[in-house]
Amino acid sequence: FRNQLPRKNDFYSYEPPSENPPPETGESVCLQLKSGAHLCRVCGCLGPKTCSRCHKAHYCSKEHQTLDWRLGHKQACTQSEYLDRTIPDHNFLFPEFEIVIETEDEITPEVVEKENESEIIGSMGEVPEEELDSMAKHESREDKIFQKFKTKIALEPEQVLRYGRGIAPIWISGENIPQEKDIPDCPCGAKRIFEFQVMPQLLNYLKADTLGTSVDWGVVAVFTCAESCRLGIGYTEEFVWKQDITDTP
């Protein structure tokens, strides 16, 4: 979902926040919102239910209230200051990280050629020459696309997001690449264009393998309105294309 605001608005400061940490005052910071909707202490969703004893802890459901009670709220229920100044960790949500944004350096052809050459030299002693010739002859389009993907992310292997409005995404596979007709237009009538993609490396940071139901993707590409149409303070639905990693040999 997309939402955009002018720089001067009723929600955020006109000036960006300082990158310097605030001076230490010795006072603990209150983490409880003083206005707006109450949120569940476990998942952060709308929390219309409250603890019947302290009336300060909010929950979205009885299940999350039970979980919080068992993991610490039972002891902290009567300590109002503790509730305002602590963030409960229920090991329930995905971990949070700061995303550092940097401009990508161009990879020179010499670097790419050297990397490919080193891969061939490194494998010469392990694979018979006849087999290498056979592999080279049958190099598929899939191999070339995946090699391009690896080369592109080689400078920053841990990247989790790539932003490039209006450019072409880098696909991890030759399968399931959308055509222009597959990307629906914005309700305002304008075309949708590529804006950013979520990389599969993010799965490692989210520890997604520990979930009961596996979460997986190769590339998640987000396409948004080319005209950035104004929609007041509401949200508009945009378009996501999910490309999985193929298992083809």
Side-chain angles (χ1 to χ4, degrees), residues 100-114:
V100 178
I101 302 173
E102 296 178 347
T103 302
E104 183 176 61
D105 295 327
E106 289 294 327
I107 303 177
T108 61
E110 293 80 6
V111 173
V112 175
E113 186 177 342
K114 190 175 293 184

Side-chain angles (χ1 to χ4, degrees), residues 50-70:
T50 59
C51 172
S52 59
R53 183 195 289 182
C54 68
H55 299 287
K56 289 193 173 184
H58 297 267
Y59 304 98
C60 66
S61 63
K62 182 179 179 180
E63 289 76 14
H64 283 188
Q65 181 177 3
T66 303
L67 178 65
D68 190 40
W69 181 264
R70 188 171 67 246

Side-chain angles (χ1 to χ4, degrees), residues 92-247:
F92 178 84
L93 302 177
F94 287 132
E96 294 183 7
F97 299 94
E98 176 188 7
I99 298 180
V100 178
I101 302 173
E102 296 178 347
T103 302
E104 183 176 61
D105 295 327
E106 289 294 327
I107 303 177
T108 61
E110 293 80 6
V111 173
V112 175
E113 186 177 342
K114 190 175 293 184
E115 287 178 354
N116 293 339
E117 184 179 325
S118 65
E119 287 184 9
I120 294 173
I121 294 173
S123 61
M124 280 289 286
E126 304 168 7
V127 184
E129 187 173 346
E130 295 79 9
E131 190 173 338
L132 284 173
D133 290 338
S134 176
M135 290 168 62
K137 289 178 182 178
H138 294 87
E139 183 182 20
S140 65
R141 174 172 174 264
E142 190 74 20
D143 296 329
K144 292 178 180 178
I145 290 175
F146 184 61
Q147 184 60 45
K148 180 181 178 181
F149 179 88
K150 289 201 304 179
T151 301
K152 196 66 176 175
I153 68 172
L155 291 178
E156 292 292 343
E158 297 179 349
Q159 60 187 273
V160 297
L161 187 146
R162 295 179 63 86
Y163 184 93
R165 184 169 169 80
I167 68 172
I170 58 169
W171 302 106
I172 198 170
S173 166
E175 301 291 330
N176 196 31
I177 294 179
Q179 304 298 314
E180 185 176 351
K181 61 181 177 59
D182 297 321
I183 310 299
D185 292 344
C186 179
C188 75
K191 293 285 186 183
R192 282 193 175 101
I193 60 174
F194 172 74
E195 183 158 357
F196 68 92
Q197 68 185 85
V198 182
M199 308 295 282
Q201 292 90 318
L202 180 61
L203 293 165
N204 180 52
Y205 292 104
L206 296 181
K207 298 180 171 56
D209 289 340
T210 62
L211 297 178
T213 304
S214 179
V215 177
D216 196 16
W217 66 77
V219 165
V220 176
V222 178
F223 296 81
T224 60
C225 177
E227 301 296 330
S228 297
C229 58
R230 294 185 177 276
L231 301 159
I233 60 172
Y235 288 83
T236 184
E237 185 176 347
E238 293 292 11
F239 185 75
V240 172
W241 187 274
K242 177 176 175 282
Q243 184 191 50
D244 293 317
I245 300 174
T246 60
D247 295 327

